[in-house]
Amino acid sequence: MQEDGSRELYDDTAVWCNQMFANGLSSNLIPKSDRWFYLRITNRANADVTPEETQYLQGVADRIFHEFALPQSQFYSSSHECFLDVGAYGTSPVQISEVNGVVNFRSRPLADVFFDTDQYGTVDTVYYRCYKTARQLMQAFPNVEGMQGFNKDNSVHNKYELIYTIEPNTDKAAKKGSRVGKGRPYKVTYWCPALKEPLQESGSSYFTFLVPRWSKLADEVYGRGPAFSCLSQIRALNKMVKEALTSAEYLNFPTLTAEEDSIMLPMKYGSRQIMFHEAGSEKPSPIMAGNQPQYVMEMIRMYRDSVNRSFFVDQIIRQEKKERQSVTEIQDVRGQMLNQLAPLLNRMETEYLGPAIEATFELLDRAGELPEKPASLAGASLEVSYSSPASQSQFATRLSDISAFMQDIAPLAQVKPEIMNAVNEQKLLASYAQYRNISPEVIKTEEEVSEISRVAQEQIQQQQAVTAAPQIGGAMKDIAQAKQLDPEGVGQLLNI
């Protein structure tokens, strides 16, 4: 049987780059220690949101973060597996389900998932194939025992092929947008080719598969990963490393040449070996081919750099520089690198993170585990606002604009101080905090600031009144004494 030549791997540059690529996406898109998204009300400015509504949005986001962080959820581990597949294949399917009351995420092998898109390019049909033993099928579908073609006594090695299908519901009730019964927008089917009838048919109010794609051309269904753009370099690099190893082997143990019948067979060649030859005959001599491995090593370095750039390793991992850099300079360089990845990362937010948050919200809302919604939000829709390091890097230019603006008006304010009255300090501070990914709870609203200013003004007025009271009392006492001494003159002078 001929062996598979693709398994002859001699260089792990692409494997390492893909690992760094997945690590970079995890740390820049979904850092577990940071709040990488917020919820906000659609078509409403943050300044118009009431404190009660802000508390609700914050509570819902906290509940979703808690669900993602649960070990049973496997969100962060499945996301890392997803990013590995995205780097290698450009597409990675992740299935969402509810297991023992917890929203569960599981990455699925791309070879066992087949999907298609609708007329707008959105994935709306998925076929997932897996294999289950007879015992596992009976646990998942108790009614399978009575189906034709099923044998519960099959051994563990005789597995059944199970097909999971989710597709748009063609029922008339589904067109009305219902979320229960036959009116659900998606139809879910479990079936086995070895059986004569479907195992289970049901509906779903959300799409149970996330299928993020790194990049794709127009009208393409499957995505293209970073490995696709450097596949030729990966193959050439693997070939060159193989040749370099072969060349090093020949340099260390070159081919020998000797006259016929001058060596006593069998000939042993290698370290700590003894070679016998006829007396007076020529000794074996190596054939020196004049190999120059330094040129091969230089080409290997060039190809490795090319693979690193294809996986964006040079942008995800900041290269250390010998000269000393300030924090601002490091942040600027980091922001520029992530800005170059913004178009590609936006697709990951649209096709993976956004649907994952929406599905989790719906499952938690169905289970009644979300905070009570204020009456003012009845009928309002929510949207996701990302605040991950990758998203914040796109705000770096806005922070620079704010700093430059303040530096520009500082000399003018020294000449004409009243120019600062035109600047809304509270909104300026709120914008700066937003671009720095500071929680909205840290910054007070305009109403709170106005109330604090009013209370402070009243306290100042009261303090001034208390300070002026002894002086007024002393003046009134002097006037009373003067009226007793000279009522007529003082009265005329004071007109009292």
Short mmCIF file of all heavy atoms in Angstrom, two decimals, residues 19 49 74 104 121 127 131 137 157-158 179 197-198 215 218 225 274 303 311 345 391 421 423 453 459 466 471:
data_model
loop_
_atom_site.label_atom_id
_atom_site.label_comp_id
_atom_site.label_asym_id
_atom_site.label_seq_id
_atom_site.Cartn_x
_atom_site.Cartn_y
_atom_site.Cartn_z
N GLN A 19 -0.89 28.64 15.32
CA GLN A 19 -1.11 28.70 16.77
C GLN A 19 -1.06 30.15 17.25
O GLN A 19 -1.90 30.59 18.04
CB GLN A 19 -0.07 27.85 17.50
CG GLN A 19 -0.25 27.79 19.01
CD GLN A 19 -1.45 26.98 19.42
OE1 GLN A 19 -1.74 25.96 18.82
NE2 GLN A 19 -2.16 27.43 20.42
N VAL A 49 -30.19 57.50 27.50
CA VAL A 49 -30.53 56.28 28.22
C VAL A 49 -30.67 56.59 29.71
O VAL A 49 -29.80 57.24 30.31
CB VAL A 49 -29.46 55.20 28.00
CG1 VAL A 49 -29.80 53.92 28.75
CG2 VAL A 49 -29.30 54.90 26.51
N GLN A 74 -17.88 26.07 27.55
CA GLN A 74 -16.79 25.80 26.61
C GLN A 74 -16.69 26.88 25.51
O GLN A 74 -16.23 26.61 24.41
CB GLN A 74 -16.95 24.42 25.95
CG GLN A 74 -17.03 23.27 26.91
CD GLN A 74 -17.17 21.94 26.22
OE1 GLN A 74 -16.74 21.74 25.09
NE2 GLN A 74 -17.80 20.98 26.88
N ASN A 104 -24.12 25.79 25.50
CA ASN A 104 -22.90 25.05 25.20
C ASN A 104 -22.45 25.32 23.77
O ASN A 104 -23.26 25.36 22.85
CB ASN A 104 -23.13 23.55 25.40
CG ASN A 104 -21.90 22.72 25.13
OD1 ASN A 104 -21.74 22.17 24.05
ND2 ASN A 104 -21.01 22.64 26.11
N GLY A 121 -26.08 35.62 0.86
CA GLY A 121 -24.77 35.16 1.28
C GLY A 121 -24.68 34.75 2.74
O GLY A 121 -23.57 34.49 3.24
N TYR A 127 -25.70 20.75 7.24
CA TYR A 127 -25.81 19.30 7.43
C TYR A 127 -24.56 18.87 8.21
O TYR A 127 -23.44 19.08 7.75
CB TYR A 127 -25.87 18.58 6.09
CG TYR A 127 -27.21 18.61 5.41
CD1 TYR A 127 -27.87 19.80 5.18
CD2 TYR A 127 -27.82 17.43 4.99
CE1 TYR A 127 -29.11 19.84 4.55
CE2 TYR A 127 -29.06 17.45 4.35
CZ TYR A 127 -29.69 18.67 4.15
OH TYR A 127 -30.91 18.71 3.52
N TYR A 131 -21.06 9.93 14.03
CA TYR A 131 -21.28 8.49 14.18
C TYR A 131 -21.55 8.18 15.65
O TYR A 131 -20.82 8.62 16.54
CB TYR A 131 -20.07 7.70 13.67
CG TYR A 131 -19.85 7.86 12.18
CD1 TYR A 131 -19.06 8.89 11.68
CD2 TYR A 131 -20.45 6.99 11.27
CE1 TYR A 131 -18.87 9.05 10.32
CE2 TYR A 131 -20.27 7.14 9.91
CZ TYR A 131 -19.48 8.18 9.44
OH TYR A 131 -19.29 8.34 8.08
N LEU A 137 -27.37 6.11 20.59
CA LEU A 137 -28.61 6.46 19.90
C LEU A 137 -29.82 6.24 20.80
O LEU A 137 -30.76 7.05 20.81
CB LEU A 137 -28.75 5.64 18.63
CG LEU A 137 -28.04 6.15 17.37
CD1 LEU A 137 -28.34 5.24 16.19
CD2 LEU A 137 -28.46 7.57 17.05
N HIS A 157 -18.15 -1.21 17.91
CA HIS A 157 -17.45 -0.93 16.65
C HIS A 157 -18.41 -0.74 15.48
O HIS A 157 -18.03 -0.18 14.46
CB HIS A 157 -16.48 -2.08 16.35
CG HIS A 157 -15.49 -2.32 17.45
ND1 HIS A 157 -14.43 -1.47 17.70
CD2 HIS A 157 -15.41 -3.31 18.38
CE1 HIS A 157 -13.74 -1.93 18.72
NE2 HIS A 157 -14.31 -3.05 19.16
N ASN A 158 -19.66 -1.22 15.61
CA ASN A 158 -20.65 -1.04 14.55
C ASN A 158 -21.47 0.21 14.85
O ASN A 158 -22.47 0.17 15.57
CB ASN A 158 -21.57 -2.27 14.45
CG ASN A 158 -20.79 -3.51 14.08
OD1 ASN A 158 -19.80 -3.44 13.37
ND2 ASN A 158 -21.24 -4.65 14.58
N ARG A 179 -42.36 32.23 17.11
CA ARG A 179 -41.23 31.62 17.81
C ARG A 179 -41.61 30.32 18.50
O ARG A 179 -40.82 29.77 19.26
CB ARG A 179 -40.68 32.60 18.85
CG ARG A 179 -40.07 33.85 18.26
CD ARG A 179 -38.77 33.54 17.57
NE ARG A 179 -38.17 34.72 16.97
CZ ARG A 179 -37.01 34.72 16.31
NH1 ARG A 179 -36.34 33.59 16.17
NH2 ARG A 179 -36.52 35.83 15.79
N GLU A 197 -36.97 5.87 8.70
CA GLU A 197 -37.72 7.08 9.02
C GLU A 197 -36.85 8.01 9.87
O GLU A 197 -35.89 7.56 10.49
CB GLU A 197 -39.00 6.73 9.77
CG GLU A 197 -38.78 5.90 11.02
CD GLU A 197 -40.07 5.51 11.68
OE1 GLU A 197 -40.95 6.39 11.80
OE2 GLU A 197 -40.22 4.34 12.08
N PRO A 198 -37.16 9.31 9.88
CA PRO A 198 -36.38 10.25 10.68
C PRO A 198 -36.47 9.93 12.17
O PRO A 198 -37.49 9.46 12.67
CB PRO A 198 -37.02 11.61 10.36
CG PRO A 198 -37.72 11.41 9.05
CD PRO A 198 -38.18 9.98 9.06
N SER A 215 -12.10 35.12 5.11
CA SER A 215 -12.28 36.00 3.96
C SER A 215 -12.80 35.15 2.80
O SER A 215 -12.61 33.93 2.78
CB SER A 215 -10.98 36.69 3.56
OG SER A 215 -10.02 35.74 3.12
N ALA A 218 -16.40 37.14 -4.03
CA ALA A 218 -17.82 37.29 -4.31
C ALA A 218 -18.44 35.96 -4.70
O ALA A 218 -17.87 35.21 -5.51
CB ALA A 218 -18.03 38.33 -5.41
N GLY A 225 -8.58 30.91 4.32
CA GLY A 225 -7.79 31.24 5.49
C GLY A 225 -6.42 31.78 5.12
O GLY A 225 -6.02 31.79 3.95
N ILE A 274 34.69 -0.34 12.48
CA ILE A 274 36.00 -0.72 11.94
C ILE A 274 35.81 -1.21 10.52
O ILE A 274 34.95 -2.04 10.24
CB ILE A 274 36.66 -1.83 12.79
CG1 ILE A 274 36.85 -1.32 14.24
CG2 ILE A 274 37.99 -2.23 12.19
CD1 ILE A 274 37.43 -2.39 15.15
N TYR A 303 11.45 32.25 3.31
CA TYR A 303 10.13 31.63 3.20
C TYR A 303 9.41 31.62 4.55
O TYR A 303 8.18 31.75 4.61
CB TYR A 303 10.27 30.20 2.65
CG TYR A 303 10.29 30.14 1.15
CD1 TYR A 303 11.40 30.55 0.42
CD2 TYR A 303 9.19 29.69 0.44
CE1 TYR A 303 11.42 30.51 -0.97
CE2 TYR A 303 9.19 29.63 -0.95
CZ TYR A 303 10.31 30.04 -1.65
OH TYR A 303 10.32 30.00 -3.01
N PHE A 311 0.20 34.81 8.02
CA PHE A 311 -0.61 34.55 9.21
C PHE A 311 -0.69 35.76 10.12
O PHE A 311 -1.19 35.65 11.24
CB PHE A 311 -0.04 33.36 9.99
CG PHE A 311 -0.44 32.02 9.41
CD1 PHE A 311 0.37 31.39 8.48
CD2 PHE A 311 -1.61 31.41 9.81
CE1 PHE A 311 0.01 30.15 7.95
CE2 PHE A 311 -1.96 30.17 9.29
CZ PHE A 311 -1.16 29.54 8.36
N LEU A 345 -11.27 41.25 10.85
CA LEU A 345 -11.83 41.00 12.18
C LEU A 345 -13.31 41.36 12.23
O LEU A 345 -14.07 40.76 13.00
CB LEU A 345 -11.06 41.80 13.23
CG LEU A 345 -9.58 41.45 13.39
CD1 LEU A 345 -8.93 42.29 14.47
CD2 LEU A 345 -9.40 39.97 13.71
N SER A 391 -11.21 46.24 18.62
CA SER A 391 -12.15 47.33 18.34
C SER A 391 -11.64 48.65 18.87
O SER A 391 -11.80 49.70 18.24
CB SER A 391 -13.51 46.99 18.96
OG SER A 391 -14.03 45.80 18.43
N ASN A 421 -15.64 78.06 27.93
CA ASN A 421 -17.06 77.91 28.24
C ASN A 421 -17.81 77.21 27.12
O ASN A 421 -18.91 76.69 27.33
CB ASN A 421 -17.68 79.27 28.51
CG ASN A 421 -17.08 79.93 29.74
OD1 ASN A 421 -16.62 79.25 30.66
ND2 ASN A 421 -17.07 81.26 29.78
N VAL A 423 -16.81 74.57 25.58
CA VAL A 423 -16.51 73.13 25.62
C VAL A 423 -17.37 72.46 26.67
O VAL A 423 -17.43 72.89 27.82
CB VAL A 423 -15.01 72.90 25.92
CG1 VAL A 423 -14.71 71.40 25.98
CG2 VAL A 423 -14.14 73.58 24.88
N SER A 453 -23.65 70.00 40.98
CA SER A 453 -23.30 71.43 40.90
C SER A 453 -24.33 72.28 41.65
O SER A 453 -23.97 73.26 42.33
CB SER A 453 -23.22 71.86 39.43
OG SER A 453 -22.24 71.13 38.75
N GLN A 459 -24.66 74.94 48.94
CA GLN A 459 -23.79 74.89 50.11
C GLN A 459 -22.89 76.13 50.20
O GLN A 459 -22.66 76.67 51.29
CB GLN A 459 -22.93 73.63 50.07
CG GLN A 459 -23.74 72.34 50.25
CD GLN A 459 -22.87 71.09 50.14
OE1 GLN A 459 -21.69 71.18 49.78
NE2 GLN A 459 -23.44 69.93 50.45
N VAL A 466 -23.80 82.17 56.43
CA VAL A 466 -23.34 81.96 57.80
C VAL A 466 -22.15 82.87 58.11
O VAL A 466 -22.03 83.44 59.21
CB VAL A 466 -22.97 80.48 58.01
CG1 VAL A 466 -22.30 80.26 59.36
CG2 VAL A 466 -24.21 79.61 57.90
N GLN A 471 -21.35 89.82 60.89
CA GLN A 471 -21.13 91.19 60.44
C GLN A 471 -22.44 91.96 60.37
O GLN A 471 -22.52 93.13 60.78
CB GLN A 471 -20.45 91.18 59.07
CG GLN A 471 -19.07 90.49 59.09
CD GLN A 471 -18.45 90.45 57.71
OE1 GLN A 471 -19.05 90.92 56.75
NE2 GLN A 471 -17.26 89.89 57.63
#
